[in-house]
Amino acid sequence: MAAEGAAGDSPSRSKRADAQRNRESVLTAAAGVFVTSGVDAPIRQIAAQAGVGMATIYRHFPTRADLVSAVYQHQIEACAEAGPNLLANADSPLDALHQWVDLFVDFLVTKHGLADALQSDNDRFAALHAYFLDRLLPVCAQLLDAAVEAGDIKPGTQPYELMRGIGNLCIGRDNDPRYDPRRLIALLLQGLQRPQTS
């Protein structure tokens, strides 16, 4: 009987795995579409990019706010998980910090328009902001601490200050094609480094 039950569960597990793959495809596609076309991009554009039907998107995300929130959370998780991986695999803690900041900037670009998409849902927006801080501040702190310990950067930089400064430098990039926030962020990171002694 147990064997029959396990075999009987197989199609159900397969459906759940398919549903999870579809959800991941939608989130990845939506993040890319939001970067190029904004959070108001047509759902059919996201569906085409993900290779799923529009009904699949609405089954997982009944409203645009649901989709935007899920993309935001998905990106937070990717950014949070990247920190320790970069620290383990980069040439130095400073390189890990630089690579993580690049990912963080990519995330901030995706985040653009979030408040408008959630409209008056202040509770949802506040919860997402708290989640953002809870997940990313410790990762940024870990990277900064490792870089200080390695002697790459000066001590004293607070994770919140760094993330807030990067966020402020990203504001307005869409309105001015001559403005590249990454150049200024590179200068900001350069300012954290200890002077090289010869």
Side-chain angles (χ1 to χ4, degrees):
M1 295 291 269
E4 284 180 20
D9 288 343
S10 181
S12 175
R13 265 187 253 132
S14 178
K15 282 183 183 177
R16 283 195 299 270
D18 287 347
Q20 184 60 32
R21 270 194 302 276
N22 284 343
R23 187 177 192 280
E24 291 292 317
S25 295
V26 168
L27 291 174
T28 301
V33 169
F34 289 167
V35 169
T36 57
S37 305
V39 294
D40 293 324
I43 295 297
R44 69 180 170 278
Q45 184 180 352
I46 296 167
Q49 188 75 29
V52 301
M54 287 176 55
T56 298
I57 294 182
Y58 287 117
R59 187 165 47 252
H60 289 286
F61 311 106
T63 68
R64 182 175 295 273
D66 292 330
L67 177 60
V68 172
S69 297
V71 168
Y72 186 64
Q73 283 186 312
H74 186 66
Q75 296 278 0
I76 289 171
E77 282 307 309
C79 205
E81 290 167 9
N85 292 335
L86 290 169
L87 208 46
N89 297 309
D91 291 337
S92 71
L94 183 61
D95 286 340
L97 178 63
H98 278 265
Q99 291 175 46
W100 187 80
V101 166
D102 275 344
L103 292 174
F104 182 59
V105 171
D106 289 342
F107 164 74
L108 292 176
V109 170
T110 304
K111 176 180 173 281
H112 181 69
L114 174 72
D116 292 339
L118 297 182
Q119 296 171 351
S120 63
D121 194 349
N122 290 331
D123 289 343
R124 188 193 305 235
F125 185 78
L128 281 172
H129 185 66
Y131 181 69
F132 165 84
L133 293 175
D134 289 346
R135 289 295 285 137
L136 297 186
L137 280 176
V139 175
C140 186
Q142 182 185 19
L143 289 160
L144 285 170
D145 289 346
V148 168
E149 192 174 316
D152 293 335
I153 66 171
K154 298 173 273 194
T157 301
Q158 298 300 312
Y160 180 79
E161 292 173 330
L162 180 60
M163 289 170 56
R164 181 72 187 263
I166 291 167
N168 286 343
L169 289 173
C170 289
I171 292 172
R173 67 174 281 282
D174 293 338
N175 300 331
D176 187 352
R178 298 170 302 167
Y179 178 63
D180 179 6
R182 288 183 194 274
R183 287 173 52 82
L184 291 178
I185 291 165
L187 288 173
L188 173 64
L189 293 177
Q190 189 178 343
L192 299 180
Q193 291 180 231
R194 285 186 180 277
Q196 295 297 316
T197 55
S198 49

